[in-house]
């Protein structure tokens, strides 16, 4: 159950995006600490809308709305990543993020580059794609648009996350525990310095439940098989496709 304050924020976000983008709005969500109920008084609200198209005036209006929203609700501001890179995305950009283009590729394998908090990297397209992919795979609150499109996009993102990280970690199978633990923390890095998932029990339980469903879907589709508690690659072609995109 979301708080009264978050419910008001959610309604305002849904109203604004619908009014600004009309039929071009596919969906808009809130994600991050507010979605998990882990927000503090200094937390900003993480928002992203997916729209068929967006012009400069609409981008400017959206940024003004979000800034005003944060002022009126006395929320924290986080402009480390420019608003232009995180408030709006087109279906084409979503597709690129889902297929791992926010990560580097070397010798037909995906590699996860470290987060370097320089102005150049924080403003980069690659980081914007990583942030969007996190938004589509973490817990989120639907604020408006087409719920069916939102669900389909989220399911596709979660499935692709499995093959992205099997490639990045160079593994042919994993237990659910191993998979989730390594989404949260790997090589001493976690949270904003890794994939955006906080090392927190609420986050871990969400990921465990969510990826359990995703692994079962991949089992049903034949992309994975299960043996001794491990989810093993079954459809090698489907897994290898992610490396060549």
């Amino acid at each position: 159950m979301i708080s009264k304050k978050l419910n008001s924020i959610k309604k305002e976000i849904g109203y604004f995006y619908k009014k600004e983008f009309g039929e071009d709005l596919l969906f808009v969500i809130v994600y991050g600490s507010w979605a998990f109920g882990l927000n503090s008084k200094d937390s900003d609200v993480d928002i992203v809308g997916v729209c068929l198209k967006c012009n400069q005036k609409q981008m400017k209006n959206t940024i003004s709305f979000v800034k005003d929203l944060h002022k009126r609700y006395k929320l924290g501001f986080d402009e480390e990543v420019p608003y232009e890179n995180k408030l709006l995305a087109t279906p084409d950009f979503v597709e690129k993020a889902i297929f791992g283009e926010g990560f580097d590729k070397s010798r037909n394998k995906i590699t996860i580059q470290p987060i370097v908090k320089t102005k150049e990297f924080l403003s980069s397209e690659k980081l914007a794609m990583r942030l969007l992919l996190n938004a589509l795979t973490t817990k989120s609150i639907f604020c408006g648009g087409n719920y069916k499109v939102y669900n389909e996009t989220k399911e596709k993102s979660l499935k692709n996350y499995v093959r992205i990280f099997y490639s990045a970690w160079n593994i042919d199978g994993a237990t659910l525990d191993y998979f989730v633990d390594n989404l949260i923390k790997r090589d001493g890095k976690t949270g904003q310095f890794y994939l955006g998932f906080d090392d927190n029990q609420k986050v871990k339980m969400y990921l465990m439940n969510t990826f359990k469903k995703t692994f079962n879907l991949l089992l049903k589709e034949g992309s994975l098989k299960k043996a001794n508690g491990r989810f093993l690659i079954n459809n090698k072609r489907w897994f290898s496709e992610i490396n060549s995109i």
Side-chain angles (χ1 to χ4, degrees):
M1 189 178 214
I2 64 176
S3 67
K4 185 177 179 181
K5 184 175 183 179
L6 179 54
N7 195 46
S8 296
I9 291 170
K10 170 191 165 183
K11 287 180 179 178
E12 284 204 42
I13 291 168
Y15 178 79
F16 169 81
Y17 274 80
K18 181 61 180 176
K19 182 181 177 183
E20 186 68 33
F21 297 97
E23 296 302 315
D24 286 332
L25 175 66
L26 294 180
F27 59 87
V28 57
I29 58 175
V30 164
Y31 63 101
S33 62
W34 279 85
F36 279 107
L38 296 172
N39 53 292
S40 68
K41 63 178 182 179
D42 297 319
S43 298
D44 68 321
V45 176
D46 296 305
I47 307 164
V48 65
V50 178
C51 308
L52 291 174
K53 58 181 182 291
C54 169
N55 57 44
Q56 288 186 346
K57 183 180 179 182
Q58 287 172 316
M59 176 65 81
K60 184 178 179 181
N61 290 344
T62 304
I63 292 171
S64 294
F65 161 74
V66 170
K67 286 184 175 180
D68 179 65
L69 183 80
H70 280 70
K71 286 178 183 177
R72 285 189 289 105
Y73 283 92
K74 298 180 180 179
L75 307 172
F77 278 88
D78 183 359
E79 298 182 78
E80 199 171 45
V81 176
Y83 282 123
E84 291 84 353
N85 286 27
K86 62 183 180 180
L87 294 181
L88 292 166
T90 62
D92 179 62
F93 197 80
V94 170
E95 195 75 358
K96 289 179 179 178
I98 287 175
F99 281 93
E101 291 195 25
F103 303 104
D104 289 338
K105 291 188 179 179
S106 175
R107 297 179 182 178
N108 264 0
K109 287 289 181 183
I110 292 173
T111 57
I112 304 172
Q113 68 270 43
I115 298 294
V116 182
K117 291 206 170 187
T118 62
K119 185 176 180 179
E120 181 181 9
F121 187 76
L122 292 171
S123 303
S124 69
E125 193 173 74
K126 277 188 175 293
L127 184 63
M129 288 181 187
R130 284 176 66 162
L131 190 61
L132 179 58
L133 186 58
N134 175 263
L136 293 170
T137 52
T138 193
K139 187 173 184 179
S140 55
I141 297 169
F142 178 80
C143 299
N146 188 318
Y147 193 75
K148 182 181 178 183
V149 173
Y150 160 69
N151 265 338
E152 289 173 347
T153 305
K154 192 171 181 69
E155 182 179 302
K156 186 176 182 181
S157 302
L158 290 163
K159 287 179 179 178
N160 266 12
Y161 228 42
V162 177
R163 58 177 177 171
I164 284 171
F165 291 105
Y166 272 41
S167 172
W169 301 334
N170 195 28
I171 57 175
D172 61 3
T175 63
L176 180 59
D177 282 332
Y178 178 89
F179 186 83
V180 169
D181 285 345
N182 282 272
L183 284 183
I184 294 172
K185 187 175 183 179
R186 192 172 178 92
D187 298 329
K189 294 184 174 64
T190 191
Q192 61 182 308
F193 293 100
Y194 182 38
L195 298 172
F197 300 115
D198 288 335
D199 192 358
N200 178 281
Q201 190 61 26
K202 280 189 177 181
V203 176
K204 183 171 183 177
M205 288 308 299
Y206 170 82
L207 292 174
M208 290 288 288
N209 292 331
T210 300
F211 278 102
K212 182 178 180 180
K213 293 175 184 176
T214 302
F215 279 136
N216 285 333
L217 279 174
L218 292 172
L219 283 173
K220 187 176 180 180
E221 293 170 2
S223 299
L224 291 172
K225 59 185 177 182
K226 194 173 182 181
N228 299 320
R230 296 177 73 232
F231 294 90
L232 305 170
I233 293 174
N234 189 44
N235 185 340
K236 291 184 179 181
R237 181 177 178 180
W238 185 77
F239 272 87
S240 65
E241 280 175 358
I242 199 77
N243 298 320
S244 58
I245 293 170

